[in-house]
Amino acid sequence: MPEPSPTEHPRALGAVRLSTLTGVTTSPDRQRADIRLRAEQMGFTLIAEATDLGVSARQKSPFERPSLSSWLQRPDEYDAIVWSHVDRAARSVAHMAELIEWGRQHATTLVFGMSEERQPLVVTPQADGDAIRRCMNLAYAAEQEAHALSTRLTSAHRALRAMGRYGGGLVPFGYRKAPHPSGIGWCLAPDPQTVPVVRAIVDDVHSGLSLVAIAHKLETAGVLVPRDRHAQLQGRPTGGRRHGRDFERFRWTAGSLCKILRTPALMGHRVHKRETVRDIEGAPVLIGAPLLTEEEFQALQDVLDTRSNGTHPKRRETSLLIGIAHCAGCGGRMYFATRKAYSYGDYVCRAAARGATCPSLAAMRADWLDEYTVGRYREAFAVDGEVTREQLLRDGVRVTVAKGRSGGGPEPVGSRS
């Protein structure tokens, strides 16, 4: 790292972290004020800020936090990192040891504000054992505090479940938070905006509409998924980050629909780990007015069970053309789908399951496409005997299936090796 000239102040990165962000919290601003004070005391120039809001230090190390981790990969851009307190940097002895070792390797000073003291705790790359030992003791205290808090919260939530009170978290679709009738705490009440949506979904299932088709219908209508509706009710922006991608709003899928339709919360039950919470007499603990009666809920489960327990054709552990057959409409992979009461299945485009829209969904009977591909492969590579998926992948075979006319057959298929 280049040394700053005598006239330059060492460059410092401010690091702000908060586990839970609400619309009224002032903690980030208080942290920034304390970071500025500590930087001035040390004679540092703040050049940037790493901000991780809604990130738990107990669950994620400094090297796993979205903003800070990107800065830790560029240590030549600053000479020190300043936190308002030790627990904003780490709540784990292991994480703190990892951070101190990183500072030693990259010649970076770590500065932690101390609310109870005028001077910050400073760990330089050449820090002696006393500074490191003090830092580790504070990290240990923060770790024990986090563990105790987690234990208290678990006990509190267990008590709330037993009393039928809402203890926080994602509100089941079709409900919204409301004051508990006792005047203490919260419960759940039917959400006037989404109750009709739940009823419409149930009606569509009974009419024979597939979950994929229902998801597409909800997307077209602009209905928010449960996670986005929950954010909207809390006054937060919709969307977020998933699988390394940022979304303005999340999309409906057959999987998200299945979670809604399978949960006993539709009957107003308190649910923990997908199961109904029951009182000492075995009766369900109610947390809100039911959206479906027990009879309606059971009828819905029977329909879903019938769909999932149909007659499935016997197939390979991994279908021959997975990773090889692609949809011409969107370029995505095609997957094997069973046909109830038939001895064969199809390769189909699964864009909807990925939360995407395909302009021209392709599908083809699996045994036809397998036979066609194997025949073309044998011609191109002059091979005999069994052809495996591993061979096709190894030789770079790709089959593109376009949406064709009714009746199937190999005509719509194009192939290149």
Side-chain angles (χ1 to χ4, degrees):
M1 178 188 303
E3 294 291 336
S5 67
T7 59
E8 291 179 334
H9 292 292
R11 303 159 300 169
L13 171 70
V16 174
R17 185 200 62 77
L18 189 65
S19 295
T20 305
L21 179 65
T22 66
V24 297
T25 184
T26 60
S27 180
D29 290 336
R30 292 200 305 271
Q31 290 184 50
R32 292 182 181 105
D34 198 45
I35 288 170
R36 285 194 296 271
L37 173 63
R38 303 308 182 183
E40 290 173 4
Q41 288 179 319
M42 299 294 297
F44 293 157
T45 298
L46 287 171
I47 61 163
E49 178 181 286
T51 307
D52 290 300
L53 304 181
V55 177
S56 168
R58 185 168 178 261
Q59 297 177 356
K60 292 184 180 295
S61 80
F63 301 89
E64 297 171 318
R65 298 168 199 167
S67 181
L68 182 58
S69 63
S70 66
W71 280 99
L72 294 178
Q73 295 171 21
R74 312 192 308 269
D76 292 340
E77 297 182 18
Y78 48 89
D79 308 296
I81 306 178
V82 184
W83 286 270
S84 64
H85 199 273
V86 168
D87 61 9
R88 298 301 173 186
R91 278 185 172 270
S92 158
V93 171
H95 293 169
M96 180 58 74
E98 187 180 14
L99 188 61
I100 291 174
E101 180 59 27
W102 176 91
R104 189 189 304 276
Q105 291 178 358
H106 297 283
T108 302
T109 298
L110 309 178
V111 180
F112 308 98
M114 303 290 289
S115 57
E116 63 277 10
E117 298 181 16
R118 298 187 62 181
Q119 294 298 319
L121 172 59
V122 181
V123 180
T124 67
Q126 302 82 27
D128 58 20
D130 184 60
I132 293 177
R133 186 162 45 252
R134 189 177 178 203
C135 197
M136 297 299 286
N137 286 339
L138 289 169
Y140 176 77
E143 182 174 4
Q144 294 304 303
E145 180 186 21
H147 178 72
L149 178 61
S150 176
T151 301
R152 288 198 298 273
L153 285 174
T154 299
S155 299
H157 280 278
R158 187 181 299 115
L160 288 173
R161 285 196 296 273
M163 292 185 291
R165 289 200 177 98
Y166 167 68
L170 184 64
V171 175
F173 193 69
Y175 290 94
R176 63 185 302 164
K177 189 172 72 170
H180 196 275
S182 67
I184 302 174
W186 301 89
C187 65
L188 297 180
D191 177 9
Q193 185 170 328
T194 54
V195 166
V197 177
V198 173
R199 298 297 318 191
I201 292 171
V202 173
D203 290 343
D204 283 340
V205 171
H206 283 297
S207 72
L209 209 59
S210 71
L211 296 187
V212 171
I214 297 173
H216 180 71
K217 185 177 178 180
L218 294 169
E219 277 294 310
T220 303
V223 177
L224 294 178
V225 301
R227 181 171 169 180
D228 283 341
R229 176 59 179 163
H230 182 68
Q232 185 184 63
L233 289 172
Q234 292 191 314
R236 296 188 285 106
T238 60
R241 193 168 185 82
R242 179 181 288 172
H243 304 311
R245 295 176 57 197
D246 292 314
F247 296 87
E248 291 185 6
R249 56 180 292 268
F250 294 109
R251 301 179 66 89
W252 285 95
T253 65
S256 60
L257 274 172
C258 190
K259 289 180 181 178
I260 293 172
L261 298 173
R262 290 292 194 178
T263 176
L266 290 174
M267 296 181 288
H269 292 187
R270 179 59 163 141
V271 176
H272 180 58
K273 294 184 178 180
R274 301 183 181 182
E275 297 292 335
T276 293
V277 177
R278 300 183 180 276
D279 61 22
I280 57 175
E281 296 180 355
V285 174
L286 298 181
I287 197 170
L291 305 186
L292 300 179
T293 65
E294 290 190 18
E295 292 76 15
E296 289 173 325
F297 182 76
Q298 189 55 55
L300 175 63
Q301 304 313 301
D302 291 343
V303 172
L304 295 173
D305 290 342
T306 299
R307 291 185 179 187
S308 62
N309 292 332
T311 303
H312 298 300
K314 185 178 180 180
R315 53 176 168 151
R316 305 176 184 85
E317 185 175 340
T318 300
S319 298
L320 181 66
L321 300 184
I322 299 299
I324 296 157
H326 292 74
C327 173
C330 62
R333 286 185 178 187
M334 300 181 72
Y335 291 89
F336 186 90
T338 60
R339 280 199 187 193
K340 293 177 183 177
Y342 287 87
S343 60
Y344 60 86
D346 302 295
Y347 287 110
V348 297
C349 175
R350 295 293 301 277
R354 301 194 305 270
T357 301
C358 178
S360 183
L361 288 167
M364 173 162 281
R365 184 166 155 170
D367 54 355
W368 289 350
L369 191 58
D370 287 350
E371 182 181 355
Y372 171 84
T373 303
V374 169
R376 291 291 299 273
Y377 175 78
R378 285 173 174 159
E379 291 176 9
F381 288 86
V383 297
D384 295 319
E386 182 184 6
V387 174
T388 65
R389 177 171 175 266
E390 288 68 26
Q391 285 177 275
L392 298 175
L393 289 170
R394 182 193 63 209
D395 292 327
V397 174
R398 178 186 175 98
V399 178
T400 303
V401 182
K403 185 175 182 179
R405 57 182 169 77
S406 177
E411 290 83 355
V413 182
S415 171
R416 66 176 183 273
S417 300

